[in-house]
Amino acid sequence: MLIAEQSILLVLEPASGTLTPVRAHIDPDVLAAAALLFDLAEQQRLRYEADHVALKSSLPVSHPLLGQALRVIGTPSHGVRVSAAIDLLATRMAPLARELLDGLVRRDHLHRVRRPAWWPWASIHYPIRSLQARNEAVAALQGAVAAAQPSLRQLALLVLGEYAGQVAQYVRGDAYDQATRLLMELPLTRHEATPERALAAGIRHALADF
């Protein structure tokens, strides 16, 4: 499952099927766009350096949304700023969050219903069909706190959860304090970081502007 899909599941209210980030002002498409950058990096398609991202390879990817993302941010060797890459993805792939939700419907993770059902212009809701995928996303987020060296996916969900204001919902007590320290200690200079931590720090810094 994509990191972007997991990030959307974390802000989806299971029963109502509505996106309910704690920080109500956030744009779900921005959340999903930032997550796609993590996905491209996890698949070794993205290079991060000095607040810029650039493609490492033009080889095709298996997921159609990742293929589209590669085309949207296809850049010269000097790359593009992280914030600009997020904006490009959110704008040119809109409605990105809904695309992710519809993909989860096709794989039977979610229902897709109109409420009220009789009104053709009623809003679409995505109640959870199976909790397994959401529970796996929660476990990955919580695992970032417990791991000695969090994976890129774990760091991604922690950063994205912070942006949406969801960390306190899934991480409690001492673990929440540890999550806060981990986020605050993400370095912004390339000399202090693993590639995973550097990218996580860069995307976290960029999301602060949205």
Side-chain angles (χ1 to χ4, degrees), residues 116-190:
W118 54 268
W119 182 248
W121 296 280
S123 59
I124 297 172
H125 296 248
Y126 295 87
I128 290 182
R129 184 185 184 94
S130 169
L131 285 172
Q132 180 179 350
R134 185 174 183 271
N135 289 342
E136 289 173 355
V138 172
L141 170 60
Q142 294 171 339
V145 180
Q149 291 291 334
S151 68
L152 178 60
R153 180 174 290 260
Q154 290 171 326
L155 288 172
L157 292 174
L158 187 60
V159 167
L160 297 166
E162 179 195 33
Y163 171 65
Q166 302 292 127
V167 174
Q169 178 176 339
Y170 299 113
V171 183
R172 307 285 173 82
D174 292 343
Y176 177 76
D177 293 338
Q178 175 61 21
T180 301
R181 284 193 296 271
L182 179 57
L183 286 163
M184 295 302 295
E185 291 170 0
L186 282 175
L188 292 175
T189 62
R190 60 183 178 178

Side-chain angles (χ1 to χ4, degrees), residues 48-172:
Y48 171 80
E49 186 172 358
D51 199 33
H52 286 67
V53 289
L55 301 185
K56 289 175 63 175
S57 170
S58 59
L59 294 175
V61 291
S62 57
H63 198 287
L65 281 180
L66 293 186
Q68 187 179 351
L70 285 173
R71 293 189 292 274
V72 167
I73 63 170
T75 61
S77 58
H78 64 269
V80 63
R81 290 183 69 87
V82 175
S83 56
I86 293 173
D87 187 54
L88 281 170
L89 292 172
T91 302
R92 296 186 183 179
M93 295 180 67
L96 180 53
R98 176 165 290 186
E99 290 288 342
L100 290 166
L101 291 167
D102 285 336
L104 290 167
V105 170
R106 290 190 291 272
R107 302 210 309 278
D108 289 330
H109 294 300
L110 306 175
H111 296 285
R112 187 177 190 272
V113 297
R114 290 188 182 275
R115 290 179 179 165
W118 54 268
W119 182 248
W121 296 280
S123 59
I124 297 172
H125 296 248
Y126 295 87
I128 290 182
R129 184 185 184 94
S130 169
L131 285 172
Q132 180 179 350
R134 185 174 183 271
N135 289 342
E136 289 173 355
V138 172
L141 170 60
Q142 294 171 339
V145 180
Q149 291 291 334
S151 68
L152 178 60
R153 180 174 290 260
Q154 290 171 326
L155 288 172
L157 292 174
L158 187 60
V159 167
L160 297 166
E162 179 195 33
Y163 171 65
Q166 302 292 127
V167 174
Q169 178 176 339
Y170 299 113
V171 183
R172 307 285 173 82

